[in-house]
Amino acid sequence: MLYSEKVMDHFEHPRNVGEIENADGVGEVGNPTCGDIMRIYLKIDNDIITDVKFKTFGCGSAIASSSMATELIKGKSIKEALELSNKAVVEALDGLPSRKIHCSVLAEEAIKAALVDYYEKNGLELPPEIKDFEPSEEE
Ligand code: FES
């Protein structure tokens, strides 16, 4: 089986799908090669991610990655969300085929982009983790 049970579960029953009105941070990234797009919405209160939703126009691995990534940062601190790597998402999904690793990269980048948006909206200085953030494959 190419995909783990966890990947299939999060693809078939994605968690936290949707949008947040008046989100504190929104991040959108895309991969020009496959054309997939991911958008993450964050609600942040006292440095805690109290809610997170996503919309992914993309492949099954991108949907599973965004679902898992939102689960991994929900209720966590900004600091923990900043530290979330695509590797951690892949591990939590019990692996992805190598051709699908970039789908998990989109999830990491969408969260970082949403955090950049949050800091910028609030006129705050960007923390070192996202100071030079540039989505790697965005057009
Ligand atoms: Fe591009 Fe999955 S194939 S995000």
Side-chain angles (χ1 to χ4, degrees):
M1 175 77 172
L2 192 55
Y3 293 106
S4 73
E5 270 174 37
K6 277 207 183 140
V7 172
M8 291 312 294
D9 178 34
H10 278 263
F11 167 60
E12 281 169 7
H13 312 283
R15 329 299 200 255
N16 309 311
V17 176
E19 294 178 31
I20 297 178
E21 245 179 79
N22 302 317
D24 297 306
V26 182
E28 183 177 303
V29 292
N31 180 309
T33 308
C34 63
D36 292 356
I37 297 167
M38 195 180 288
R39 196 180 302 150
I40 296 253
Y41 301 82
L42 299 175
K43 198 87 204 156
I44 296 174
D45 195 14
N46 265 329
D47 281 358
I48 299 292
I49 299 180
T50 54
D51 200 10
V52 46
K53 296 253 189 270
F54 80 90
K55 277 210 157 162
T56 292
F57 182 82
C59 74
S61 300
I63 290 168
S65 293
S66 29
S67 170
M68 181 55 88
T70 56
E71 286 285 274
L72 290 172
I73 63 166
K74 200 171 185 175
K76 300 280 168 61
S77 65
I78 290 182
K79 190 151 180 35
E80 285 168 290
L82 284 168
E83 283 163 6
L84 182 78
S85 66
N86 81 294
K87 268 203 182 127
V89 174
V90 173
E91 268 164 33
L93 286 171
D94 292 336
L96 278 175
S98 55
R99 283 178 49 219
K100 291 287 173 179
I101 295 297
H102 79 269
C103 318
S104 67
V105 172
L106 275 188
E108 176 192 326
E109 291 188 343
I111 289 172
K112 294 213 161 96
L115 288 167
V116 167
D117 183 48
Y118 166 75
Y119 278 91
E120 285 178 347
K121 266 188 189 145
N122 287 283
L124 300 168
E125 201 181 322
L126 290 172
E129 291 93 329
I130 46 173
K131 215 162 146 238
D132 304 311
F133 172 74
E134 290 270 355
S136 53
E137 292 161 313
E138 200 177 22
E139 275 179 307

